[in-house]
């Protein structure tokens, strides 16, 4: 890395900070990413598992995938990157964490000012009543699981072709429009509409800082692209702005 003097000054004077995260923030906790080396999509075809059509055609297969992921996630702990982000929300007068992750690790790290754009793997939704409830059963005793009302449950996850939760995406657009600094951490920025948030922030005058182990489609657009692990770079940024 290093953060430029401009980036450091922008963060020190920022009143309104937004952090957008993707799977890469959780990689150092042991969560597989979706794309790239060791990515989840390498062994599973996305269109077979992460679409409403796939669920309709084979709910058992889709639930088995989620059950496997929930077993993998259950013992994992937040890492230094999650922890820095949780501390950042206390440091800036206005702050929002926008996460595409469904793993619940930001919440475990203590983040509260947060929107989950793609749902949460620890929540289920009744297909009949639409009611969303917590579900931490690992492994699931019955696949597919069912609601007390008898109807089938689905993972409370946003699949391809589905709309994002209205309030969450509206809050995210507003924050992207209004922030002074946006940190974009561990996302390949290929999935819309989340991928458009850094562009919106930049167009509205924010200083946009990307943190990723590799370049992404937005690397040439942002103010700074810091190449390295989030668990190394975020603590370093925190140290620099504390100096
Ligand atoms: C590290 C690191 C370390 C590793 N430190 N970094 C406009 C144009 C074209 C298509 C569309 C469009 N608008 C909508 C679409 C369709 C679609 C879409 O975007 N498709 C694209 C793939 C082309 N979008 C949707 O369908 C969305 N719905 C929607 O927009 O509704 C309206 C609409 C529908 C249809 C047409 C038009 C409008 C819904 C998107 C739902 C996404 N759901 C998923 C899966 C859920 C399943 C599950 O989790 O169980 O969410 S997809 C998957 O990708 C998951 C993630 O949240 C999301 C983003 O991935 P992310 O987080 O970026 O992970 P990776 O793996 O891609 O990247 C990890 C990065 O970390 C890498 O860059 C590494 O280098 C880095 N890294 N270690 C720092 N230690």
């Amino acid at each position: 890395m290093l953060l430029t003097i401009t980036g450091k000054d922008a963060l020190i004077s920022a009143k309104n900070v937004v952090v957008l995260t993707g799977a890469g923030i959780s990689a150092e906790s042991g969560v597989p990413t979706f794309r790239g080396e060791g990515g989840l999509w390498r062994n599973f075809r996305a269109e077979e598992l992460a679409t409403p059509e796939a669920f309709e055609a084979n709910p058992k297969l889709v639930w088995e995938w989620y059950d496997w992921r929930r077993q993998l996630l259950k013992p994992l702990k937040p890492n230094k990157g999650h922890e820095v982000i949780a501390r950042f929300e206390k440091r800036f007068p206005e702050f929002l964490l926008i996460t595409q992750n469904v793993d619940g690790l930001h919440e475990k790290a203590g983040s509260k000012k947060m929107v989950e754009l793609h749902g949460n793997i620890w929540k289920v939704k009744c297909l009949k009543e639409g009611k969303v409830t917590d579900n931490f059963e690992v492994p699931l005793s019955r696949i597919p699981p069912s609601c007390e009302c008898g109807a089938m449950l689905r993972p409370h996850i946003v699949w391809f072709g589905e709309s994002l939760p209205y309030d969450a995406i509206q809050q995210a657009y507003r924050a992207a429009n209004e922030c002074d600094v946006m940190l974009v951490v561990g996302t390949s920025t290929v999935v819309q509409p989340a991928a458009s948030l850094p562009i919106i922030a930049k167009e509205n005058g924010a200083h946009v800082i990307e943190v990723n182990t590799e370049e992404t489609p937005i690397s040439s657009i942002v103010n700074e692209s810091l190449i390295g692990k989030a668990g190394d770079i975020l603590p370093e940024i925190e140290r620099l702005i504390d100096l």
Side-chain angles (χ1 to χ4, degrees):
M1 82 124 175
L2 264 185
L3 191 65
T4 62
I5 302 283
T6 318
K8 179 180 167 181
D9 288 348
L11 266 170
I12 288 173
S13 59
K15 299 271 177 292
N16 186 333
V17 169
V18 168
V19 179
L20 169 68
T21 62
I25 184 78
S26 295
E28 289 157 76
S29 293
V31 182
T33 56
F34 289 90
R35 299 166 189 86
E37 197 70 25
L40 277 175
W41 298 143
R42 290 207 151 187
N43 302 324
F44 299 93
R45 281 159 51 84
E47 58 276 20
E48 270 175 23
L49 298 167
T51 67
E53 293 78 17
F55 185 71
E56 205 174 315
N58 197 343
K60 187 164 177 288
L61 174 70
V62 173
W63 261 118
E64 279 167 357
W65 187 55
Y66 281 98
D67 191 40
W68 169 75
R69 286 174 60 197
R70 284 159 58 108
Q71 290 181 49
L72 187 126
L73 287 173
K74 182 88 173 184
L76 302 185
K77 294 188 169 50
N79 62 54
K80 286 188 216 157
H82 295 105
E83 286 163 10
V84 169
I85 294 169
R87 286 195 290 275
F88 273 2
E89 81 175 38
K90 299 191 185 86
R91 163 175 215 128
F92 300 102
E94 281 189 73
F95 179 90
L96 186 68
L97 166 61
I98 304 169
T99 188
Q100 297 167 83
N101 298 347
V102 301
D103 57 31
L105 288 176
H106 282 300
E107 196 183 344
K108 268 197 190 174
S111 283
K112 290 190 173 60
K113 295 180 182 172
M114 171 177 68
V115 290
E116 292 176 321
L117 291 184
H118 295 161
N120 188 305
I121 202 163
W122 302 109
K123 292 183 195 288
V124 292
K125 186 173 177 181
C126 172
L127 287 181
K128 188 169 160 208
E129 303 164 322
K131 198 171 68 181
V132 175
T133 49
D134 289 340
N135 180 308
F136 297 102
E137 190 189 21
V138 171
L140 288 165
S141 51
R142 224 172 57 173
I143 291 181
S146 47
C147 178
E148 285 165 354
C149 77
M152 198 193 295
L153 293 166
R154 61 163 279 176
H156 185 49
I157 301 269
V158 181
W159 288 320
F160 285 116
E162 293 187 316
S163 299
L164 278 67
Y166 181 80
D167 289 349
I169 190 64
Q170 290 308 317
Q171 215 182 323
Y173 280 137
R174 195 166 52 245
N177 267 299
E178 293 173 357
C179 64
D180 306 315
V181 174
M182 179 184 275
L183 282 156
V184 184
V185 185
T187 173
S188 56
T189 62
V190 295
V191 176
Q192 296 293 349
S196 66
L197 296 168
I199 316 287
I200 293 172
K202 181 78 180 5
E203 284 173 359
N204 282 280
H207 190 88
V208 182
I209 304 166
E210 178 180 51
V211 178
N212 200 304
T213 45
E214 54 191 46
E215 289 197 351
T216 73
I218 64 157
S219 299
S220 57
I221 300 159
V222 298
N223 298 82
E224 11 203 331
S225 173
L226 309 179
I227 301 292
K229 291 183 176 175
D232 295 333
I233 292 184
L234 291 176
E236 182 65 8
I237 291 178
E238 187 182 39
R239 197 186 64 77
L240 276 174
I241 61 176
D242 275 342
L243 285 178

